């Protein structure tokens, strides 16, 4: 069987590894814009090819798929979905596990995703307003009295999201100036590369609670959820610094267990997990009704347990998360080829997903300059002691790296991601820390990572936050007011939203 994988990051390395484990005699090829040495090695072992090319160009991807004579294509990142790669493959009769352009809109356009929620009155919806320009948004930024989240209206690789709180009255003028400045930056800088979106800026109500990602396989008829994962997007320990694509992630069974009784350490309960799955299912049904297209691939709810709704969608993904894919795919007991074929044939309901119930921790090593000055983070030679990692029982996934003249050099984002597996999250976290003894940039450029991912103090903080949000939303649910709140809308005054 011949398979073409599209993409070259750590997520795709984990996907490639899953295909390598298949019992179906897979010949795996990969198309990437950079040469990922981990994926390249797997392609070589399985008798496939590693090709360098434009992964967002539907014609380029489809031409390679035809020349290779593949049985199907697996699309890893989101941008090929946004550019219609799965659409062109299907047009040529080539099977694809990847979201077509119309249904990938739930990730590509954050504004369209919110529109869809409100049009269908789906649970977990937040108050929002979308704008085509900074000037159009100024009255709302000026008058809105509560805390808000400012976002690019398009998926922009994790850039541009900022939550601004207005609790300190003595800082309201400074906070307003910060809102203006950041909103203008979103429109003028973060949205500048994207001319495929009418709306540029999104303002949402601020909510609080622990975040988590629920990744699922779907064939458009049913949704099969994987274990919940908690990502850590801020660059530095203590959830400080700019937001990144993800500095690491944790998972441990359905409820993010970490070695004590579930009721004492539950970031997400089983009931909340089931509700989260139902919300994702409703989103898939709604986007399919609206577009008339079937969703074949991976979908994920990037969610938060809030005091307003309980399980609440913050964003949607039309693919695996990165690094979240690394927490689930290595523990998948099913053959990924069987899953892909079931998605393509729309018989995913016949598959029962099975995962090893271990705790996993992923930590990423990033070059200085990431995420805001990626040009400074590029081009540094990388050396990794893979034998040392094996001795320490740490799995290596190459991320943003390229092979140039026989050397591994940084691509400007996270260089490598280390995965460790243990019986509980803190133990896995300690193991993962050893990985950073085995990597360095040989020109002296520094790397950084978050040491607190999966550490007890960090977990306790999230568990307490979950308990508080749970107590409030469950009280509202008992009183029949779940999802109801008052909000200030310029020109209309205080109104009920829900």
């Amino acid at each position: 069987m011949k398979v073409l994988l599209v993409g070259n990051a750590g997520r795709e390395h984990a996907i490639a590894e899953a295909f390598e484990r298949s019992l179906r005699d897979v010949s795996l090829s990969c198309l990437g814009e950079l040469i990922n040495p981990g994926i390249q090695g797997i392609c070589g072992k399985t008798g496939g090819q590693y090709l360098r090319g434009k992964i967002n160009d539907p014609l380029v991807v489809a031409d390679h798929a035809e020349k290779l004579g593949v049985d199907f294509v697996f699309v890893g990142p989101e941008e090929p979905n946004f550019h219609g790669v799965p659409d062109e493959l299907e047009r040529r009769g080539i099977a694809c596990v990847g979201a077509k352009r119309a249904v990938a809109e739930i990730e590509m356009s954050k504004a369209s995703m919110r529109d869809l929620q409100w049009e269908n009155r789906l649970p977990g919806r937040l108050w929002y307003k979308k704008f085509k320009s900074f000037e159009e948004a100024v009255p709302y930024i000026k008058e809105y009295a509560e805390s808000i989240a400012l976002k690019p209206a398009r998926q922009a690789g994790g850039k541009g999201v900022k939550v601004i709180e207005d609790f300190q009255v003595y800082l309201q003028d400074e906070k307003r100036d910060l809102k203006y400045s950041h909103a203008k930056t979103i429109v003028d800088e973060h949205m500048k590369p994207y001319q495929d979106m009418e709306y540029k800026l999104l303002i949402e109500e601020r909510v609080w609670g622990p975040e988590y990602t629920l990744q699922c396989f779907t064939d458009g008829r049913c949704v099969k959820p994987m274990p919940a994962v908690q990502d850590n997007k801020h660059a530095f320990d203590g959830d400080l610094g700019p937001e990144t694509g993800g500095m690491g992630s944790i998972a441990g069974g359905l409820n993010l267990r970490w070695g004590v009784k579930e009721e004492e350490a539950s970031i997400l309960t089983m009931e909340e997990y089931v509700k989260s799955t139902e919300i994702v299912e409703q989103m898939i049904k709604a986007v399919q009704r609206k577009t008339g297209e079937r969703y074949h691939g991976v979908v994920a709810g990037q969610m938060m347990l809030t005091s307003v709704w309980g399980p609440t969608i913050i964003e949607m993904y039309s693919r695996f998360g990165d690094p979240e894919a690394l927490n689930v795919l290595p523990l998948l007991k099913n053959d990924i080829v069987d899953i892909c074929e079931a998605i393509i044939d729309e018989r995913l309901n016949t598959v029962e997903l099975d995962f090893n119930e271990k705790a996993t921790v992923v930590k990423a090593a990033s070059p200085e300059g990431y995420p805001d000055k990626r040009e400074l983070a590029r081009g540094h030679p990388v050396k990794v002691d893979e034998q040392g990692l094996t001795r320490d029982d740490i799995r290596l996934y190459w991320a943003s790296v390229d092979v140039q003249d026989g050397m591994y050099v940084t691509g400007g984002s996270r260089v490598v991601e280390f995965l460790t597996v243990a019986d509980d999250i803190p133990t896995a976290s300690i193991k993962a820390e050893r990985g950073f003894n085995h990597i360095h940039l040989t020109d002296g450029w520094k790397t950084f990572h978050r040491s607190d991912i999966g550490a007890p103090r960090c977990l306790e903080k999230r568990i307490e936050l979950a308990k508080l949000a749970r107590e409030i939303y469950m009280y509202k649910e008992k009183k029949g007011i779940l999802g109801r709140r008052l909000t200030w809308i310029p020109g209309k005054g205080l109104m009920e939203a829900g």
Side-chain angles (χ1 to χ4, degrees), residues 163-442:
V163 176
I164 303 174
E165 300 175 347
D166 270 354
F167 297 142
Q168 304 100 327
V169 175
Y170 59 92
L171 290 177
Q172 282 186 346
D173 290 342
E174 289 82 354
K175 293 288 182 72
R176 186 176 60 249
D177 292 343
L178 179 60
K179 290 175 189 176
Y180 288 151
S181 173
H182 190 68
K184 195 161 184 13
T185 297
I186 287 174
V187 174
D188 293 346
E189 297 181 20
H190 299 308
M191 288 295 293
K192 186 177 180 180
Y194 307 108
Q195 303 302 315
D196 53 4
M197 195 65 56
E198 180 181 14
Y199 290 95
K200 305 298 182 183
L201 176 67
L202 200 69
I203 295 179
E204 291 181 349
E205 64 177 299
R206 173 195 174 269
V207 288
W208 56 268
E211 294 191 42
Y212 57 97
T213 307
L214 184 64
Q215 303 169 111
C216 310
F217 293 111
T218 183
D219 62 357
R221 295 180 181 273
C222 77
V223 169
K224 293 284 184 175
M226 298 173 233
V229 182
Q230 189 171 68
D231 189 15
N232 293 263
K233 291 191 176 297
H234 289 279
F236 308 128
D237 283 18
D239 295 322
L240 299 175
E243 287 212 359
T244 71
M247 292 298 294
S249 46
I250 62 173
L254 301 179
N255 302 303
L256 300 173
R257 294 187 299 270
W258 59 288
V260 298
K261 291 181 181 179
E262 183 178 313
E263 62 268 21
E264 295 175 358
S266 182
I267 294 175
L268 190 69
T269 67
M270 177 61 79
E271 184 178 357
E272 291 157 355
Y273 175 86
V274 171
K275 286 182 179 178
S276 301
T277 304
E278 290 171 349
I279 290 172
V280 173
E281 287 175 337
Q282 291 177 65
M283 287 293 296
I284 294 300
K285 289 177 181 177
V287 75
Q288 289 186 151
R289 281 195 304 269
K290 184 171 185 176
T291 64
E293 296 282 5
R294 188 72 78 180
Y295 195 124
H296 287 176
V298 178
V299 64
Q302 207 279 305
M303 309 188 79
M304 180 183 287
L305 192 70
T306 71
S307 61
V308 175
W309 280 105
T312 304
I313 288 181
I314 302 302
E315 295 181 5
M316 293 291 294
Y317 296 158
S318 60
R319 37 74 191 186
F320 276 112
D322 190 347
E324 296 100 317
L326 279 62
N327 294 88
V328 296
L329 284 175
L331 303 188
L332 177 65
K333 294 182 180 180
N334 305 72
D335 192 314
I336 195 169
V337 174
D338 293 342
I339 295 172
C340 291
E341 289 182 336
I343 290 171
I344 291 164
D345 297 338
E346 295 189 357
R347 51 177 178 80
L348 189 59
N349 63 308
T350 65
V351 176
E352 291 298 325
L353 295 185
D354 191 12
F355 292 87
N356 188 331
E357 291 192 10
K358 289 283 190 177
T360 57
V361 170
V362 177
K363 297 187 182 185
S366 300
E368 288 190 350
Y370 176 76
D372 293 332
K373 296 185 178 181
R374 299 190 185 205
E375 67 280 2
L376 298 179
R378 293 190 186 101
H380 303 287
V382 185
K383 186 172 182 180
V384 173
D385 178 8
E386 297 194 38
Q387 291 183 345
L389 290 170
T390 300
R391 286 194 303 270
D392 284 342
D393 193 24
I394 299 168
R395 303 189 196 185
L396 167 68
Y397 294 87
W398 291 96
S400 179
V401 70
D402 199 8
V403 180
Q404 298 177 2
D405 299 323
M407 296 177 60
Y408 300 166
V409 297
T410 60
S413 184
R414 296 156 294 181
V415 184
V416 297
E417 295 164 339
F418 297 126
L419 166 69
T420 51
V421 181
D423 291 330
D424 59 78
I425 290 173
T427 300
S429 176
I430 292 170
K431 285 176 62 178
E433 277 298 298
R434 300 173 191 148
F436 300 98
N437 298 324
H438 301 295
I439 177 175
H440 69 280
L441 306 183
T442 58

Side-chain angles (χ1 to χ4, degrees), residues 3-155:
V3 178
L4 175 63
L5 173 63
V6 177
N8 53 251
R11 164 185 48 225
E12 286 75 47
H13 190 174
I15 295 168
E17 185 185 70
F19 279 110
E20 184 185 19
R21 294 198 308 269
S22 173
L23 301 177
R24 300 285 297 279
D25 191 22
V26 174
S27 173
L28 181 71
S29 295
C30 180
L31 177 65
E33 295 186 347
L34 304 179
I35 296 179
N36 181 308
I39 303 175
Q40 186 181 41
I42 292 171
C43 290
K45 288 179 189 175
T46 63
Q49 301 178 44
Y50 196 106
L51 307 164
R52 192 193 289 267
K54 296 179 180 179
I55 64 173
N56 297 332
D57 187 324
L59 300 180
V60 169
V61 177
D63 285 348
H64 281 301
E66 283 187 334
K67 289 176 184 176
L68 292 166
V70 299
D71 293 279
F72 64 86
V73 176
F74 194 111
V75 177
E78 65 272 19
E79 286 293 338
N81 293 335
F82 300 166
H83 286 80
V85 167
D87 302 67
E88 177 64 18
L89 289 165
E90 185 174 300
R91 190 187 69 79
R92 298 196 195 186
I94 303 169
C96 179
V97 178
K100 294 175 74 173
R101 170 64 178 80
V103 294
E105 183 86 0
I106 59 174
E107 176 178 16
M108 181 180 176
S109 172
K110 299 174 187 180
S112 293
M113 187 272 287
R114 290 290 179 218
D115 289 344
L116 195 67
Q117 281 187 296
W118 282 87
E119 287 166 6
N120 292 272
R121 306 295 292 177
L122 301 184
R125 58 189 181 273
L126 298 179
W127 177 87
Y128 73 109
K129 185 72 177 175
K130 55 189 180 181
F131 303 94
K132 298 178 182 178
S133 67
F134 167 72
E135 290 74 20
E136 187 181 338
V138 167
Y140 286 81
I141 297 173
K142 181 179 180 180
E143 295 187 39
Y144 196 79
E146 299 178 14
S147 302
I148 58 173
L150 294 168
K151 298 181 177 182
R154 186 196 192 277
Q155 173 60 260

